[in-house]
Amino acid sequence: MAQTVLIVEDEAKVAELLADYMQQSGFATVVINDGALAKQAFIRDQPCVVLLDVMLPNRDGMEICKEIRACSNVPIIMITARVEEVDRLLGLDLGADDYVCKPFSPREVVARVKAVLRRTQNGNTAEQLPLKLDETRYTAEVNSQQAELTVVEFKLLQILLSDPGHIYSRILLMDCIYDDHRIVSDRTIDSHIKKLRKKLSVINNGEDIIRSVYGVGYKLEFA
């Protein structure tokens, strides 16, 4: 029986897009467009993951997140249309597992859902890893050493860090980084990865933590 993803989103087109991609990836979906109905749907449908919009009619997504987290450890991925909302999401003790900003690549959301499921099932959280990211400064830190990253480099590392060991194809990375669907080549991703590797190597005692998988893509791997 397919696992269920609960999508709490009041924008019909966004909710439909998320539901389509989740279903194509083998998940069952339940869509709720009213914040007041979210908790009831959560209890009734027992989802494996909740995709929860911050701005909802009748009830705020942050309140819903806190209420769900008070009674369940089911992964929650927050969705926001405002970049400035990210600081609040990170600063508040909501208990959310991840967040995505609109506009987003639906493939990225699917990848994040799968990643958060693997993390919760395996007990392998980003907080346990030696690499830390600071989104307010676009820096990466290893062993108290910091490296300044470009926006693209930061996004690439953020995706790889979301599920260490998982191999991300170049196509998926391109979709996640360039959500405006601009035309870029594999070499563009390779070039950014090369520069990112060099920066991380400097702060990680010369060791490379981004691995190439020939003909497939890249993964983050710690010794």
Side-chain angles (χ1 to χ4, degrees), residues 1-2 26 40 68 79-80 94 117 139 149 156 158 215 223:
M1 187 174 183
Q40 179 183 352
I68 291 176
I79 301 173
T80 178
L94 296 176
L117 284 173
T139 60
L149 308 177
L156 280 171
Q158 191 175 45

Side-chain angles (χ1 to χ4, degrees), residues 165-168 170 197 211-219:
H166 179 72
I167 303 170
Y168 289 89
R170 290 174 175 83
R197 274 176 160 164
R211 310 293 185 190
S212 298
V213 180
Y214 184 74
V216 183
Y218 297 98
K219 66 177 179 176

Side-chain angles (χ1 to χ4, degrees), residues 93-219:
D93 186 19
L94 296 176
D97 296 87
D98 201 354
Y99 69 90
V100 292
C101 293
K102 298 176 182 177
F104 51 73
S105 161
R107 289 182 181 178
E108 178 189 0
V109 180
V110 171
R112 286 176 181 249
V113 166
K114 291 180 177 179
V116 78
L117 284 173
R118 278 190 289 266
R119 290 203 306 270
T120 54
Q121 290 167 359
N122 298 334
N124 184 26
T125 64
E127 287 73 16
Q128 297 171 311
L129 300 173
L131 174 64
K132 306 297 180 184
L133 301 184
D134 186 338
E135 190 157 9
T136 63
R137 298 181 176 84
Y138 285 94
T139 60
E141 180 178 319
V142 179
N143 301 322
S144 300
Q145 301 295 315
Q146 288 189 343
E148 294 184 0
L149 308 177
T150 66
V151 174
V152 171
E153 290 167 353
F154 188 90
K155 287 183 177 179
L156 280 171
L157 188 53
Q158 191 175 45
I159 294 166
L160 295 172
L161 185 61
S162 70
D163 190 11
H166 179 72
I167 303 170
Y168 289 89
S169 69
R170 290 174 175 83
I171 292 176
L172 177 57
L173 291 174
M174 284 189 285
D175 281 349
C176 293
I177 298 302
Y178 302 107
D179 52 19
D180 57 358
H181 304 297
R182 73 182 70 175
I183 299 175
V184 294
S185 69
D186 290 358
R187 293 182 181 180
T188 302
I189 292 295
D190 291 342
S191 176
H192 288 304
I193 289 288
K194 181 179 180 180
K195 294 174 183 177
L196 179 58
R197 274 176 160 164
K198 185 175 181 180
K199 291 181 180 181
L200 294 178
S201 177
V202 170
I203 63 174
N204 194 42
N205 301 318
E207 296 183 12
D208 189 5
I209 59 175
I210 298 179
R211 310 293 185 190
S212 298
V213 180
Y214 184 74
V216 183
Y218 297 98
K219 66 177 179 176

